[in-house]
Amino acid sequence: MNRIASVTKLHLRDKLSWIYMPWIITLANLVIHLIIRLCIGGKDGMYSGGISSLYVYMLVIGIIALPQTFVFTLGLGIRRKDYFAGTAMNAALISLSTAILLLLLALLEGWSGGWGVGLHFFRMPYWGDGAVLGQIARNFVLMLHLFFLGFVISSVQRRYGWFGMIMLSGVVFAIVSILVVLSSYYQWWGRLFQWVAGKSASEWAGWLFALMIVYALASYSMLRKAAV
């Protein structure tokens, strides 16, 4: 347990990447959207979608965390499974704290009338609906899912090199292309959109959680055999 906590502390020493930078980007994005809202005016509320930058950053940090710390940590005598557990714990802590902070900012946004100009930046319709605990849980799952998506991509590169990345990209591109062609040929798009629209935000969070488990297991399996 001490080694797992040590890995978590090692990640958190890089406060710029894990704590400051995502919120610098998010708050800068908020300022830009506030300026745009003031310029265009209007009485109706404006949903910007600018908060997506925070989610994208979680994907990015998942990609870069492994090459920045994996070899160094193993050089300190940390076992691979402890490295993985400590990294996962750190990502979970960051995701949970961010989810709570997003909820508080969304509540503040609502109380202030959209920061006084009718701007909805932190609260997303559909995904941000429902009870408080549900909102926190969905954002927590979404952010942790994106982290492990980035982490499994980085794990492929660590285990199989750039050839593995090229092969993975080719397989994903081929699968997506085949599905698009089949959906167009058999006219599945309408039914697909109806199926997507019929799912609740909590149901999608459940699917994301299941995929996150797959990413985590795949990452751990590859890191156990990855070269240093």
Side-chain angles (χ1 to χ4, degrees), residues 19-93:
I19 300 174
Y20 300 144
M21 187 56 69
W23 287 105
I24 289 173
I25 295 173
T26 301
L27 295 178
N29 207 356
L30 173 61
V31 171
I32 292 172
H33 281 84
L34 285 172
I35 294 173
I36 294 174
R37 179 60 175 171
L38 287 171
C39 291
I40 65 176
K43 297 182 179 179
D44 297 330
M46 173 183 171
Y47 289 91
S48 69
I51 193 61
S52 58
S53 60
L54 188 61
Y55 300 115
V56 172
Y57 187 88
M58 202 63 181
L59 172 67
V60 172
I61 197 68
I63 294 175
I64 66 176
L66 182 63
Q68 286 184 342
T69 59
F70 182 66
V71 175
F72 174 75
T73 306
L74 294 188
L76 297 177
I78 302 294
R79 295 177 299 180
R80 294 171 188 244
K81 67 177 183 179
D82 292 333
Y83 170 80
F84 178 83
T87 302
M89 182 181 294
N90 180 65
L93 290 172

Side-chain angles (χ1 to χ4, degrees), residues 3-23:
R3 291 184 176 182
I4 295 174
S6 297
V7 174
T8 301
K9 292 178 181 178
L10 175 66
H11 285 296
L12 290 178
R13 285 177 182 172
D14 186 8
K15 292 182 173 62
L16 178 62
S17 298
W18 283 99
I19 300 174
Y20 300 144
M21 187 56 69
W23 287 105

Side-chain angles (χ1 to χ4, degrees), residues 105-172:
L105 288 170
L107 292 174
L108 179 60
E109 184 174 85
W111 292 334
S112 64
W115 310 109
V117 295
L119 174 66
H120 301 286
F121 185 87
F122 291 102
R123 183 186 177 278
M124 296 184 294
Y126 177 72
W127 191 258
D129 295 337
V132 168
L133 290 179
Q135 295 179 48
I136 293 175
R138 286 193 293 272
N139 273 320
F140 170 73
V141 169
L142 176 57
M143 300 204 69
L144 202 55
H145 170 270
L146 289 170
F147 173 81
F148 275 110
L149 175 57
F151 198 73
V152 75
I153 292 172
S154 190
S155 297
V156 170
Q157 195 281 328
R158 169 59 61 180
R159 176 66 178 89
Y160 300 105
W162 289 109
F163 177 76
M165 288 295 298
I166 294 172
M167 291 296 296
L168 176 63
S169 301
V171 170
V172 171

